Amino acid sequence: MSSSSTSEKQSKAERVRRASHAGSWYTDNASKLEEELGTWLQASKLTKSPDVRGVIAPHAGYSYSGRCAAYAFGNIDPTKFSRVFLLGPSHHYYTPNCALTKATIYSTPLGDLPIDLEVVEELQATGKFEFMDLNKDEAEHSMEMHLPYLAKVFHGHPVKIVPILVGALSSESEAMYGRLLAKFVDDPKNFFSVSSDFCHWGNRFSYTYYDKKHGAIHKSIEALDRMGMDIIETGDADAFKKYLKEYDNTICGRHPISVFLHMLKNSATKININFLQYEQSSQCRNMRDSSVSYASAAAKLAADEEMANCN
């Protein structure tokens, strides 16, 4: 067989999603990126915990949310997991479903992350998922912004990823996908990385909710975000939906978070979510200002589950 036909077969077999936001949303210089992430992880002063089974983390440019994200990814014990499910919102194309990747590899400046093709095929076989083409995949940033942290934390530890783009789901679809994916929570080798920023405030986001009783605008934004974070911590997807309906808080990962809450509700493994860090891109003081909020959480085995694992 000629070398050209061999390389052609390899190119067909390997479909690489490029790190399309490297060099803009974060540095494409591997050593600088390694150092930057390492500094943030060290500053978080977190201890890696085998009981942390998932995280909620932001997806803005690293100059805005990289430090906050470390409070999520710093919890991961890479020796305990062989697969990471990524749940991220769709910013660029409308779908009422969840979508799977056509790629076989997600590239990062810190190394490639292989897709778990067996799980992708299993999910495809349910008939509930569509596929996103590579252009749509590379245009979306919500999951990509988690990849360098995952590549760093899992360096030296074999891991595969299952990216799931979560569309504009109805409440019924959120519950359906939650039930469908719940069984993966019961496999202790699986980890879950849920991508979301919190309040996008200002005229450019068409959202200027302001409750003056909290004082400055940024304090009102924080109170609104923390109300949502408190509800997420209860694990009650219906209460989260009511909160979103009442306040319309511009939490862009509302659908991935809701699917994750339904997954936890429907799994035999009891897991609690706890927020560890909250930040804002800037402090809004007048109606001309704007900001985006970032929050990081760890989803950890409940105490009785920890005891069961020890026995």
Side-chain angles (χ1 to χ4, degrees):
M1 186 183 288
S2 69
S3 60
S4 62
S5 59
T6 303
S7 61
E8 190 180 322
K9 277 198 167 183
Q10 285 176 337
S11 66
K12 280 183 180 175
E14 277 195 1
R15 295 179 299 279
V16 179
R17 183 205 182 276
R18 297 173 300 117
S20 51
H21 293 75
S24 52
W25 289 54
Y26 57 98
T27 180
D28 55 3
N29 181 303
S31 58
K32 281 184 181 175
L33 184 59
E34 178 95 33
E35 184 182 356
E36 194 171 50
L37 299 186
T39 300
W40 284 327
L41 287 166
Q42 196 172 7
S44 73
K45 294 185 168 62
L46 291 171
T47 304
K48 293 175 182 177
S49 170
D51 298 322
V52 173
R53 295 287 312 281
V55 294
I56 299 171
H59 56 236
Y62 280 178
S63 62
Y64 295 102
S65 71
R67 191 176 80 94
C68 183
Y71 287 84
F73 296 106
N75 292 282
I76 301 173
D77 181 347
T79 65
K80 298 296 179 184
F81 307 105
S82 58
R83 185 186 296 119
V84 178
F85 286 78
L86 285 149
L87 300 175
S90 177
H91 291 84
H92 294 282
Y93 87 103
Y94 173 81
T95 173
N97 306 308
C98 285
L100 303 169
T101 182
K102 290 183 177 179
T104 60
I105 287 171
Y106 270 25
S107 181
T108 88
L110 301 184
D112 291 343
L113 292 165
I115 305 298
D116 193 321
L117 299 176
E118 285 185 19
V119 174
V120 169
E121 285 176 19
E122 182 183 344
L123 295 177
Q124 181 194 7
T126 66
K128 302 295 186 185
F129 293 82
E130 61 186 63
F131 277 99
M132 55 179 159
D133 64 41
L134 206 54
N135 288 337
K136 290 190 176 86
D137 200 341
E138 290 182 346
E140 181 54 59
H141 64 274
S142 68
M143 293 186 284
E144 179 179 340
M145 299 309 294
H146 285 201
L147 300 178
Y149 263 117
L150 292 171
K152 176 165 178 59
V153 169
F154 280 96
H155 180 70
H157 303 276
V159 69
K160 292 183 177 182
I161 62 173
V162 183
I164 300 174
L165 190 74
V166 181
L169 306 184
S170 66
S171 298
E172 294 74 22
S173 290
E174 288 171 349
M176 178 272 291
Y177 283 111
R179 289 190 299 271
L180 192 151
L181 294 166
K183 70 171 189 174
F184 295 105
V185 178
D186 292 325
D187 182 344
K189 290 289 186 183
N190 290 335
F191 190 87
F192 303 89
S193 193
V194 181
S195 181
S196 184
D197 294 335
F198 274 70
C199 185
H200 298 60
W201 195 94
N203 287 318
R204 70 192 183 101
F205 300 116
S206 302
Y207 187 76
T208 53
Y209 174 86
Y210 179 25
D211 186 344
K212 291 183 172 62
K213 78 179 181 192
H214 294 292
I217 293 172
H218 66 90
K219 291 286 189 186
S220 169
I221 295 168
E222 180 170 354
L224 180 68
D225 279 331
R226 290 198 180 276
M227 192 191 312
M229 291 155 65
D230 289 347
I231 292 168
I232 292 167
E233 287 186 344
T234 70
D236 189 336
D238 294 331
F240 184 51
K241 185 65 66 180
K242 284 177 188 168
Y243 158 82
L244 291 170
K245 191 172 182 181
E246 182 173 353
Y247 296 99
D248 202 27
N249 192 2
T250 44
I251 300 172
C252 55
R254 57 177 62 191
H255 297 299
I257 291 171
S258 295
V259 169
F260 189 52
L261 293 178
H262 282 290
M263 287 165 61
L264 299 186
K265 176 185 174 184
N266 288 282
S267 66
T269 310
K270 295 304 162 201
I271 290 173
N272 297 324
I273 296 171
N274 182 35
F275 279 91
L276 302 172
Q277 184 72 358
Y278 175 81
E279 298 180 13
Q280 295 174 351
S281 60
S282 60
Q283 292 194 336
C284 293
R285 299 184 184 281
N286 65 63
M287 300 306 285
R288 295 184 304 278
D289 291 340
S290 66
S291 71
V292 180
S293 307
Y294 314 114
S296 288
K300 190 175 183 181
L301 286 176
D304 52 345
E305 292 279 346
E306 291 177 42
M307 291 297 292
N309 287 348
C310 292
N311 293 336

